[in-house]
Amino acid sequence: MVRVLVVHDALLLRSALAQLLLSADGLEVSCMSSRGEEPDEDDLPADVCVVDGDCLDGTEDLCRAPYWDRCGARLVVLAAPERPGVLRRAFDAGALGFVAKDAPSHRLIDAVHTVAKGERFLDERLTVALLEASRAPLTARELHVLAQAAQGCSVAEIAGVLHLSRGTVRNYMASAIRKVGARNRVDAIRIVQSAGWV
């Protein structure tokens, strides 16, 4: 029996994923939100965690997520090809499974069984996106600056939080705007958020 923990913020989708997995033989399923809600102790530890990549904050360290200590790298991440940043963070954290959100339901079940054995599973619909994700358009520092800007921080506030000078923050911001082909800071934030980088 493979114990699966489904992590999704939306209760309806979390329940639907759980029901889908329960329909397969050999799977025992529990659920939780990525916002810190803990599953019952009887359901722990899980052999595999199925995580919706869009539930991950762009600045979150996946290894510190509340479910990481339940199954570690035996993660199956649900992702969309147009959000390579989500794939990159999950890959860097050591996730083993990647399933496209528009894949047939049997692909998720196959991924869970494969990852439970400690093997990698990559949905072919995500192959190109994962390759693109390896070419991150911005440096980590540029992403941190944009992530702070996305929270409404001023240049002075970003400088204080990241322990940089205001001029350095402006340089990182200008570089990020140029690299993503944005018109301004707001456009740059929109571009990197839609790609899942922050």
Side-chain angles (χ1 to χ4, degrees):
M1 186 66 73
V2 176
R3 292 165 296 180
V4 183
L5 176 62
V6 175
V7 181
H8 201 296
D9 290 340
L11 177 59
L12 180 63
L13 296 176
R14 188 167 64 228
S15 299
L17 286 169
Q19 287 304 311
L20 166 69
L21 292 168
L22 283 169
S23 70
D25 291 334
L27 299 181
E28 184 180 302
V29 183
S30 59
C31 300
M32 72 178 280
S33 166
S34 69
R35 300 182 196 279
E37 164 194 318
E38 292 290 328
D40 294 334
E41 287 299 319
D42 295 341
D43 297 329
L44 302 176
D47 299 311
V48 176
C49 289
V50 175
V51 182
D52 184 332
D54 287 331
C55 293
L56 304 174
D57 182 304
T59 60
E60 179 182 1
D61 181 354
L62 191 57
C63 298
R64 293 191 190 134
Y67 44 82
W68 184 265
D69 60 344
R70 305 298 187 243
C71 46
R74 293 201 177 185
L75 293 178
V76 174
V77 177
L78 302 173
E82 59 273 6
R83 295 185 49 81
V86 171
L87 292 168
R88 174 66 181 261
R89 283 193 309 279
F91 185 82
D92 287 347
L96 290 178
F98 300 89
V99 179
K101 289 188 176 187
D102 61 352
S105 57
H106 70 85
R107 299 290 287 163
L108 177 58
I109 294 167
D110 293 345
V112 167
H113 284 295
T114 302
V115 169
K117 293 185 270 186
E119 299 171 7
R120 188 169 296 282
F121 182 95
L122 177 59
D123 194 318
E124 65 271 1
R125 296 171 193 216
L126 296 177
T127 305
V128 173
L130 195 53
L131 288 171
E132 288 175 359
S134 67
R135 297 187 318 260
L138 303 177
T139 66
R141 193 55 106 175
E142 290 164 344
L143 286 171
H144 287 148
V145 167
L146 278 182
Q148 291 296 314
Q151 295 176 14
C153 295
S154 67
V155 169
E157 291 169 328
I158 295 170
V161 168
L162 298 179
H163 308 290
L164 300 170
S165 72
R166 292 178 187 187
T168 301
V169 169
R170 286 189 194 94
N171 287 341
Y172 280 130
M173 188 72 68
S175 175
I177 290 168
R178 184 181 67 254
K179 284 181 180 180
V180 300
R183 295 183 305 274
N184 53 39
R185 143 184 175 156
V186 173
D187 193 34
I189 291 168
R190 179 191 58 77
I191 289 168
V192 296
Q193 282 180 334
S194 68
W197 291 107
V198 297

